[in-house]
């Protein structure tokens, strides 16, 4: 039988390599030849390491498996899908997975990440084939039609960005993939690189052919060493198979790509700082305009998209823009890979159509806190995202609905906190984080964040609380409107949401309902 043991960073961190070795030895000792495939995680992280065995009923799972469980599992007959206390049944039937709509993550956890045969057997390269048949402008229009918006967090329509780049006159254009996934609680970019790297390669190739760019770069954060290696191997394999290079799929069209590693600065996830870093310079934010779409990498028109946006392009081209846009609500079309993290019982990846209420994600899907204590708040959209209190849990997961509450969905990360969290501390952390990560180019972010920490310290110590709170609110206003990029511009969101929703943590009496 074919057996699967995940090989992505989460599973490996949970001991998957040791489990795989023990399994191999156990099979060898029994004289059994079985094919152990190192797949990616399905994103049901509390079950990792999750062993799956192919049976007539489908893939039967066992997890979380420790190396010391292997002998017992083999004895119980897991190669035939036997029952065992660690058996989680047919994996596809687990409600957490079954309730999802997996479009971007359709192959994640199913295939061997570095097998082109597996990739193609699961719909891979159908999107690129169709893009080649359609030609550049119809490909761009298909992405416009899909309604796909930037999954890095800002939600700018991807197709419109591509149109801008395609129309900009130039002798050279570039595709840059932003894989500097720095938001707290997020791992979608990493999981795609580690578990379905050809999907990103295909998406970037489609983007390149669509806008007339022959070269692409993936800028990955340095904290993702495994993803980096998997991507490099996949790029090499794609080249050997004629899926990158001068004659893609025999079309005579050219596109190639390379990996680049960041050096640990959060601000390098900001697109212009990223471009500076890619050019070999210090990661300082550039003033916009000019937009990267007009003058990006090496001053050439550049499509810079988040990794999830690019990895969603193959399914859009394969199934059509209309198919994709039929999912979702309002102006938020398609699906979002929501990453549920923090103090949560069932942490993992949940890809679903836009519109699901926040509370459903936290309670029904995530199972509430891991500590078993009441939920106090959820921070959505990374360290620069707002804290949402439980009375806002009816908010649907949608760009506009979140904006209306002074919150952001960002890159789709949720970090859950229980009632022991002190939101004044978290507000202080936001300012401290900004001070630490600021590139230093603009004053509101560089100086404002440091003054923010000091002012919050005074508030927390009860020193002239009212005056200092007024000062803090004023400072937040300046940072919001005066910063060059989202780092300084969004830091006020966690600070003000904490203050507005949890004034008691700041030593302020809660406002009575009107
Ligand atoms: P933005 O709204 O300035 O730009 C969004 C994108 O659209 C950029 O690529 C920009 O160049 C492009 N764009 C804007 N107008 C355009 C036009 N007319 N034609 C073509 N392209 C155009 O937002 P920004 O500063 O890029 O991102 C802010 C967001 O980043 C925040 O909302 C936050 O959610 C997110 N964020 C994500 C993080 C992560 O780890 N994924 C970390 C921190 C923040």
């Amino acid at each position: 039988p074919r057996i699967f043991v995940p090989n992505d960073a989460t599973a490996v961190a949970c001991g998957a390599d040791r489990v795989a070795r023990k399994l191999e030895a156990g099979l060898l000792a029994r004289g059994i030849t079985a094919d152990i495939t190192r797949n990616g995680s399905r994103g049901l992280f509390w079950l990792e390491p999750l062993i799956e065995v192919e049976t007539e009923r489908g893939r039967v799972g066992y997890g979380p498996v420790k190396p010391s469980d292997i002998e017992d599992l083999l004895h119980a007959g897991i190669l035939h899908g036997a029952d065992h206390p660690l058996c989680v049944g047919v994996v596809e039937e687990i409600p957490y997975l079954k309730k999802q709509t997996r479009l971007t993550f359709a192959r994640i956890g199913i295939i061997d990440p570095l097998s082109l045969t597996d990739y193609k057997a699961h719909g891979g390269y159908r999107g690129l084939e169709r893009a080649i048949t359609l030609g550049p402008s119809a490909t761009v229009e298909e992405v416009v039609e899909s309604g796909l918006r930037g999954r890095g967090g800002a939600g700018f329509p991807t197709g419109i960005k591509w149109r801008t780049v395609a129309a900009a006159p130039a002798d050279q254009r570039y595709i840059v993939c932003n894989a500097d996934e720095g938001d707290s609680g997020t791992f979608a970019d990493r999981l795609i690189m580690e578990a379905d790297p050809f999907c990103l390669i295909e998406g970037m190739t489609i983007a390149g052919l669509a806008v007339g760019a022959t070269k692409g770069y993936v800028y990955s954060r340095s904290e993702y060493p495994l993803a980096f290696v998997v991507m490099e191997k996949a790029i090499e394999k794609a080249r050997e198979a004629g899926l990158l290079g001068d004659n893609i799929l025999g079309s005579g069209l050219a596109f190639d790509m390379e990996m680049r590693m960041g050096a640990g600065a959060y601000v390098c996830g900001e697109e212009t700082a990223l471009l500076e870093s890619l050019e070999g310079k210090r990661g300082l934010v550039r003033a916009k305009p000019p937009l990267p779409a007009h003058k990006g990498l090496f001053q050439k028109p550049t499509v810079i998209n988040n990794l999830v946006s690019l990895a969603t392009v193959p399914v859009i081209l394969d199934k059509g823009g209309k198919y994709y846009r039929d999912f979702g609500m309002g102006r938020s079309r398609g699906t979002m890979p929501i990453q549920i993290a923090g103090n949560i019982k069932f942490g993992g990846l949940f890809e679903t159509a836009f519109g699901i209420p926040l509370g459903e994600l936290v309670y029904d899907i995530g199972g509430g806190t891991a500590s078993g204590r009441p939920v106090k708040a959820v921070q959505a959209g990374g360290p620069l995202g707002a804290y949402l209190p439980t009375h806002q849990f009816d908010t649907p997961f949608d760009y506009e609905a979140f904006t209306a509450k002074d919150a952001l969905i960002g890159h789709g990360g949720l970090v859950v906190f229980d009632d022991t969290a002190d939101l004044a501390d978290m507000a202080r952390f936001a300012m401290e984080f900004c001070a630490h990560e600021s590139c230093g180019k603009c004053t509101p972010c560089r100086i404002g964040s440091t003054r923010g920490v000091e002012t919050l310290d005074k508030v927390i110590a009860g020193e002239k609380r009212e005056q200092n709170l007024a000062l803090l609110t004023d400072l937040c206003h300046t940072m919001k409107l005066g910063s060059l990029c989202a780092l300084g511009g969004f830091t006020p969101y966690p600070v003000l949401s904490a203050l507005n929703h949890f004034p008691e943590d700041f030593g302020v009496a809660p406002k009575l309902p009107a």
Side-chain angles (χ1 to χ4, degrees), residues 165 167-173 212 294 300-301:
V165 174
D171 54 351
Q172 177 69 55
R173 298 184 187 82
H294 293 128
K300 303 291 182 188

Side-chain angles (χ1 to χ4, degrees), residues 61-103:
Y62 301 86
V65 176
K66 292 190 295 298
S68 54
D69 295 324
I70 294 292
E71 275 306 308
D72 196 37
L73 285 166
L74 285 173
H75 185 72
I78 64 159
L79 297 184
H80 313 288
D83 203 12
H84 185 273
L86 289 177
C87 185
V88 292
V90 175
V91 175
E92 307 268 347
E93 297 299 321
I94 299 173
Y96 196 94
L97 205 51
K98 206 169 181 182
K99 282 186 196 163
Q100 302 193 33
T101 303
R102 288 206 163 180
L103 303 184

Side-chain angles (χ1 to χ4, degrees), residues 220-490:
S220 171
R221 68 185 310 206
S222 58
E223 293 87 343
Y224 287 174
L226 187 57
F228 197 88
V229 171
V230 177
M231 280 305 302
E232 291 226 297
K233 284 188 185 157
I235 290 171
E236 199 44 52
K237 284 201 169 187
R239 253 185 227 133
E240 281 166 11
L243 294 160
L244 285 173
D246 294 335
N247 187 19
I248 292 167
L249 287 172
S251 65
L253 299 165
F255 182 76
D256 209 341
M257 57 188 279
E258 282 176 48
M259 293 300 295
R260 285 290 182 273
M261 195 184 270
Y266 179 74
V267 80
C268 284
E270 195 283 330
E271 58 178 6
T272 62
L274 188 155
L275 293 174
E276 287 285 301
S277 173
L278 209 49
E279 290 179 11
K281 301 179 208 145
R282 213 176 111 190
L284 284 181
V285 171
R286 296 178 186 168
K288 289 192 277 189
L291 288 165
H294 293 128
K295 285 186 177 184
L297 187 62
F298 302 116
Q299 298 298 308
K300 303 291 182 188
T302 301
V303 164
I304 174 162
N305 281 143
N306 172 253
L307 193 150
V308 173
S309 311
L310 288 163
T312 302
V313 166
V315 67
I316 290 173
L317 264 296
D318 176 23
K319 303 215 162 139
K322 188 175 171 319
Y323 171 84
Y324 190 77
R325 81 168 303 124
D326 274 350
F327 297 92
M329 73 171 273
R331 290 178 47 222
S332 305
R333 309 312 315 169
T335 58
M336 184 76 186
I338 300 165
Q339 301 129 83
I340 312 174
N343 190 340
I344 190 83
K345 200 163 169 199
F346 303 122
L349 184 114
F350 194 84
E351 181 177 353
T352 188
F354 284 97
I356 186 169
L358 181 59
E360 197 175 321
L361 288 163
V362 175
Y363 295 121
D364 303 346
I365 311 293
T369 61
S371 63
R373 299 185 64 92
V375 175
K376 180 161 178 174
V378 169
Q379 187 177 30
L384 314 177
Y387 289 93
L388 292 111
T390 52
H391 69 79
Q392 290 186 335
F393 275 19
D394 57 346
T395 312
F397 210 84
D398 159 75
Y399 290 101
E400 280 66 40
F402 267 57
T403 307
K405 304 227 159 117
D406 267 337
L408 58 144
I409 64 171
H411 184 50
L414 301 179
V415 180
V416 180
F417 293 83
D418 75 9
D419 61 348
T420 59
D422 179 339
L423 271 291
D425 262 0
M426 297 317 295
R428 186 189 186 280
F429 171 71
M431 283 291 187
E432 197 183 21
F433 179 79
C434 181
H436 186 73
E437 296 291 347
S438 175
C439 81
K441 182 145 171 176
C442 72
T443 314
C445 174
R446 183 184 71 245
I447 311 269
S449 50
T450 297
R451 293 292 98 86
V453 174
E454 293 164 3
T455 312
L456 269 160
D457 277 340
K458 288 179 190 159
V459 170
I460 292 165
E463 197 179 308
K464 294 189 187 153
R465 193 171 270 143
E466 256 179 48
Q467 287 102 307
N468 278 313
L469 277 174
L471 202 56
L472 181 72
T473 313
D474 193 41
L475 174 65
C476 283
H477 190 68
T478 305
M479 287 178 71
K480 217 162 152 177
L481 300 178
S483 299
L484 256 186
C485 84
L487 180 52
F490 280 71

